[in-house]
Amino acid sequence: MSENAVETGTTRAPVFAFERGDRVLVLAHLGVAFIALLLGAAAGMLQGLQRTGYIKWPDAVGYYQLLTLHGVALALIFTTLFIIGFLLAGTAKTLGGRLHTVDRVWAWIGWIMMVVGTAMGTVSILNNSATVLYTFYAPLKASPWFYVAMALVVVGSWLGGVAIFTAYARWRRQHRGQVSPLFAYMSVATMILWIIATLGVAIEVLFQLIPMAFGWVPRVNVELSRTLFWYFGHPLVYFWLLPAYIYWYVNIPQIIKGKLFSDSLPRLTFVLFILYSIPVGFHHQFNEPGIANGWKILAAALTLTVVVPSLMTVFAMFATFEMAGRAQGATGRFAWLRKLPWKDVRFFAPFLGMVMFIPGGAGGVVNASYQLNQVIHNTLWVTGHFHMTLSSAVTLTFFGIAYWLVPALTNRKLTWRVNNLGIFQAWLWFIGMLLNAVPMHIVGLLGEPRRTAFTTYNDNPVVQPWLPYWPVMGMSGIFLFLSIMLFLGAMIYLWWFAPRLDTPAEFPIGEVKDKSHPTPMILERWPLWIALTGVLVLIVYTVPLVDMIQTPPPSSPPIRSW
Ligand code: HAS
């Protein structure tokens, strides 16, 4: 480890060189994430063009098969590998400059499991034995190896979490009574959320889907399996979001020559995410029988409380931006906006993501409102919602991270040409997502269902109002694929070809502005927050789950629909 201060072009910032062991580990995670990104993006463009009637694909490759590849590769594999790589990098940086051997061993075992799982899952999808979409709802029956593959990915990701926990626990032992570094704290919170959330899908896969797929049981309790899936499925979205928030809270202040607005607020935000994000899965099941209305209303109320930490984040971001601008001499009411580094892709790409998150988040509030959900459920509105949140806010932030993290790991320079290319690529992505997600919201309101292959419903008049939007949605796939190609081209350049640096590249970590208010140590008491989460989960899930198991709805034999 070496840590010294150099002029970065923005501010005097500590630079940092990864140890070789950490560098290889993080790059291994990012590399697999980028391969998944390529696969998922190609499948996305093809299924998008097919879904909107631009191309007719040979019958041998089905729409749902491509859609499965798109969802699994992007929503499950790209995100998980990228997130764990990013968290390991920041944990190494902020907890003493390196991971210890034991942390690395855990992370490598996890990586191997995730890679084996990814390979097995991809083969199952490509040989058309797992065309079950990324939610793999029962009673759809995939090859049992697909479920084993998903289990390997999940357990592998837990071990990545164990690596972060061991590094964090060691640091705390060595720094008794001190508040932990914010990045590491937030990484721990993210992995706690992830592990609690994935327990649901792990139970579903181990006790329902694998026995169903191997033929050990003739039937499956569909309602129970969907409930276990959505117990996991909603906090899953915060597993995607929280690393983006880490970047917004911790890294961006340094990039914009500012300071963190507060140390306690981001910690509280993450604790609130752990508490509120898990007991809300029923808001994906508002339209399902077998769950009494009272539980659904409770889930709706709790979902609206999980919006609060995001609103706190809006506040903190504006405060951080304004403080940074004013510190650089801005005086007018909005003059601070001009001081933001608009030409720096590390800031600009995530900023576009933040902008898109405003309508994306508002759409989420619509989804969460029990009555309004009746209008949009299972329509393309929902697909538009997650293209604004996951595929825009989160993905644009991941782009911004990759543009400096890869050269920081390879000890190469983020040249101004690649920086500018990154800005163009982020614009292309942003515009592509607007062309994609805005029409999806509109046709969703007009009643167009999601998860359907191309059809004109026998030219039924109900389809007419949707038609003008299809070419726009189809075209968006081309924008997005081009953007991914540029991104991956930039990554290849930064990985292998960019000029080497004599001094290590910057790893931006912001400092807190006002340290006069000590951070309450209670925020670091994980057993307390985990126990409270457990209590909330028990309150929301005990009665419905007991009901589903004791008086189960008619179960279903497994179905292969393709
Ligand atoms: Fe969602 C469905 C509710 C957030 C992802 N969501 C989905 C699905 C996905 C997904 C993938 O209640 C589909 C699952 C499937 O396949 O069926 N969602 C919400 C709510 C929020 C929310 C209340 N979702 C997300 C995020 C996702 C994501 C984040 C991915 C990362 N969602 C739902 C519901 C459903 C659902 C229902 C089920 C629908 C159904 O019927 O099936 C909230 O967390 C959103 C809060 C966010 C905000 C925005 C804050 C804005 C910020 C940016 C600030 C900007 C700045 C810069 C500072 C309130 C922080 C601006 C500067 C300028 C100068 C302009």
Side-chain angles (χ1 to χ4, degrees):
M1 195 269 297
S2 72
E3 186 129 19
N4 56 335
V6 294
E7 295 293 340
T8 63
T10 50
T11 176
R12 265 181 85 75
V15 292
F16 163 77
F18 284 98
E19 278 198 2
R20 188 169 183 282
D22 295 335
R23 179 182 307 154
V24 176
L25 178 67
V26 176
L27 281 172
H29 283 79
L30 299 188
V32 180
F34 293 154
I35 294 169
L37 183 64
L38 175 64
L39 270 178
M45 181 181 68
L46 293 176
Q47 54 95 0
L49 291 173
Q50 192 181 357
R51 168 72 167 68
T52 49
Y54 267 99
I55 54 171
K56 170 126 178 54
W57 206 245
D59 287 343
V61 184
Y63 167 78
Y64 296 105
Q65 188 181 1
L66 282 172
L67 186 57
T68 306
L69 182 61
H70 176 60
V72 171
L74 293 182
L76 303 181
I77 306 300
F78 162 66
T79 50
T80 307
L81 269 293
F82 189 92
I83 288 168
I84 294 181
F86 175 51
L87 299 189
L88 287 171
T91 304
K93 153 82 182 162
T94 57
L95 294 183
R98 63 185 289 262
L99 295 173
H100 284 234
T101 311
V102 61
D103 317 331
R104 289 184 195 151
V105 169
W106 281 117
W108 273 116
I109 301 174
W111 182 86
I112 292 168
M113 291 178 79
M114 288 191 285
V115 170
V116 173
T118 300
M120 281 170 63
T122 309
V123 169
S124 309
I125 296 169
L126 291 179
N127 72 19
N128 203 18
S129 63
T131 299
V132 289
L133 306 191
Y134 88 109
T135 41
F136 44 86
Y137 284 150
L140 288 182
K141 181 185 149 200
S143 151
W145 301 111
F146 174 77
Y147 303 114
V148 174
M150 291 301 108
L152 281 172
V153 172
V154 168
V155 177
S157 71
W158 289 350
L159 300 188
V162 171
I164 291 167
F165 297 154
T166 52
Y168 170 81
R170 182 180 316 107
W171 189 95
R172 290 206 58 200
R173 274 196 308 275
Q174 292 166 354
H175 300 81
R176 291 205 186 272
Q178 290 182 33
V179 176
S180 60
L182 187 56
F183 192 111
Y185 176 93
M186 293 169 126
S187 303
V188 169
T190 306
M191 292 316 295
I192 289 177
L193 180 146
W194 177 240
I195 291 174
I196 300 176
T198 41
L199 290 176
V201 75
I203 295 171
E204 183 204 6
V205 167
L206 284 182
F207 295 103
Q208 291 195 283
L209 301 183
I210 290 182
M212 170 191 84
F214 274 112
W216 300 335
V217 291
R219 304 179 74 87
V220 58
N221 180 337
V222 174
E223 187 62 38
L224 178 63
S225 76
R226 292 171 69 93
T227 304
L228 289 170
F229 183 86
W230 284 118
Y231 164 91
F232 149 80
H234 194 73
L236 164 68
V237 315
Y238 297 111
F239 173 65
W240 298 327
L241 182 68
L242 294 194
Y245 274 9
I246 296 180
Y247 187 59
W248 298 3
Y249 274 114
V250 183
N251 306 92
I252 280 191
Q254 175 71 21
I255 293 170
I256 64 173
K257 294 191 236 174
K259 301 235 168 179
L260 270 82
F261 157 75
S262 149
D263 185 68
S264 310
L265 183 135
R267 290 177 203 254
L268 178 62
T269 308
F270 273 48
V271 165
L272 293 181
F273 272 118
I274 297 180
L275 289 177
Y276 296 142
S277 70
I278 295 166
V280 296
F282 286 142
H283 72 219
H284 291 262
Q285 298 175 281
F286 281 150
N287 285 281
E288 286 177 28
I291 305 163
N293 278 348
W295 301 113
K296 294 179 180 174
I297 290 167
L298 182 59
L302 282 170
T303 309
L304 295 176
T305 54
V306 82
V307 174
V308 173
S310 282
L311 295 179
M312 288 161 67
T313 305
V314 182
F315 174 75
M317 285 303 114
F318 273 107
T320 304
F321 293 166
E322 181 173 352
M323 278 178 353
R326 296 213 182 282
Q328 292 163 62
T331 48
R333 182 166 294 179
F334 294 110
W336 49 271
L337 267 173
R338 282 205 298 274
K339 299 283 182 186
L340 296 174
W342 299 109
K343 293 184 180 159
D344 186 338
V345 66
R346 301 172 305 165
F347 165 74
F348 184 70
F351 181 85
L352 287 181
M354 292 178 200
V355 172
M356 193 74 106
F357 197 36
I358 297 172
V365 176
V366 169
N367 300 347
S369 312
Y370 193 177
Q371 296 86 341
L372 294 178
N373 185 273
Q374 309 303 308
V375 180
I376 52 82
H377 182 63
N378 271 344
T379 70
L380 272 182
W381 165 287
V382 177
T383 319
H385 163 67
F386 67 72
H387 280 90
M388 282 189 167
T389 49
L390 171 60
S391 322
S392 298
V394 171
T395 305
L396 278 160
T397 303
F398 289 2
F399 290 154
I401 295 170
Y403 276 106
W404 62 264
L405 184 55
V406 169
L409 290 160
T410 55
N411 214 12
R412 293 181 186 273
K413 187 173 184 202
L414 169 58
T415 58
W416 68 268
R417 272 178 206 278
V418 177
N419 179 75
N420 291 352
L421 177 124
I423 288 181
F424 175 71
Q425 181 257 319
W427 268 121
L428 208 57
W429 189 261
F430 182 77
I431 294 167
M433 275 302 164
L434 279 179
L435 295 176
N436 180 279
V438 173
M440 282 189 184
H441 278 86
I442 299 171
V443 291
L445 285 180
L446 295 170
E448 180 165 2
R450 68 184 281 214
R451 293 181 158 143
T452 49
F454 174 76
T455 170
T456 58
Y457 298 88
N458 289 332
D459 295 328
N460 191 294
V462 77
V463 175
Q464 286 304 318
W466 310 340
L467 294 180
Y469 299 98
W470 286 1
V472 186
M473 290 190 280
M475 201 169 21
S476 73
I478 296 170
F479 273 71
L480 297 169
F481 188 68
L482 275 178
S483 176
I484 288 292
M485 288 295 100
L486 289 179
F487 172 74
L488 290 176
M491 289 305 116
I492 289 171
Y493 179 76
L494 293 172
W495 199 306
W496 284 290
F497 302 108
R500 282 207 176 270
L501 287 175
D502 297 332
T503 46
E506 181 187 8
F507 191 122
I509 294 280
E511 283 174 21
V512 180
K513 178 174 187 284
D514 182 3
K515 292 194 176 137
S516 57
H517 299 291
T519 306
M521 285 308 283
I522 193 167
L523 291 170
E524 209 111 13
R525 287 233 202 114
W526 298 112
L528 173 69
W529 305 121
I530 294 170
L532 277 178
T533 309
V535 171
L536 279 172
V537 167
L538 287 177
I539 292 173
V540 173
Y541 276 103
T542 307
V543 174
L545 278 180
V546 169
D547 202 29
M548 276 172 215
I549 294 165
Q550 281 189 342
T551 51
S555 55
S556 167
I559 294 170
R560 186 181 156 126
S561 60
W562 65 97

